Amino acid sequence: MLPVDLRQFECFIAVAEEGNVSRAAARLHMTQPPLTRRIARLERSVGVRLFTRTPSGVELTEAGAVLLDRAHRIMQLTEYAIDRARLADAGQAGSLVVGYFGSPMFDAVPRLLRGFLKTRPTVSLVLERAPKNVQADAIRDGRMHLGFSRQYRSEPGLVVRRVASEPLYLALPEGHPLLKAGKAELADLREQQLVLFPTGPRPSFADEVTQLCAQAGFSAPVVREAGDVLTALGYVASAGFCSVVPRSATRVTLPGVDFVPLSDTPPEGLSCLYRADNVPALVRSFLDHVSTTSSEPETTAESGPRVSI
């Protein structure tokens, strides 16, 4: 079987719809002889006659009618594929694989992604829960496009960009005396039983809380370390401990847990992680979205020592 190109299908569709070679040639802005040759070449490629002559022009054979239906589909699929490729090149289509860990998924991450996807209906989203070290490996290998977490360490070949910040709160068991004041300070932690999170790769949010206590002049009174914020809040609800959490964690509703803002702590940053080179178009498009919608100043870091943000 000889190869068939899209131009042959375009010519075939025009002749079939016009029922006349001369009119089809005029429609295609070409002369009749080359159009006739293209149709003859298509018939040789397919191996069957596609048209029969009539006094007024041509009409489809049964085989030609079957091919016409498929030819329309092929042309439509081709146009769709080209359109999707152009959208993908512009960061408007494709599949965006996003890794996340911890409380950012309770607020900032879905808000950022929802705003990005709202004007890009052809982009599909894949979410994967993954610790920071797993995110870094997956992004470097091209299996993931973006990661979201806190306290990223600088990684060779990857960029850390701060995309949001939020105040810190103190999670307390229901009825705790500190709840009456409606706010708390770091010094109030001295006499508490503190749960830190998360365990795992350092630096982490747990290190940030420990440093804040040290800057306030005391050692963090740690009684437990939890793998994630939900487990930490479980200790607050069940054992009466307390935990320092970002504001996004206050969206979690557990019986017996209340929150008060910590009035003397700096806001905690949320960052995204992505490749430093060969940045996919979808990632570039997302970063442009962050630049235009976030009030957070653009802060990035690449390789080198630990970056605390």
Side-chain angles (χ1 to χ4, degrees), residues 139-140 156-159 274-280 284 302:
I139 292 170
R140 195 178 289 111
L158 300 177
V159 176
Y274 58 94
R275 291 182 60 164
D277 57 1
N278 298 320
V279 181
R284 293 197 305 269
E302 180 185 351

Side-chain angles (χ1 to χ4, degrees), residues 132-137 140 152-160 201-203 273-276 301-307:
K132 290 177 288 189
N133 59 326
V134 175
Q135 291 179 19
D137 290 340
R140 195 178 289 111
Y152 279 113
R153 179 174 51 200
S154 257
E155 297 274 0
L158 300 177
V159 176
V160 178
R202 292 313 206 230
L273 189 69
Y274 58 94
R275 291 182 60 164
E302 180 185 351
S303 68
R306 171 191 167 185
V307 176

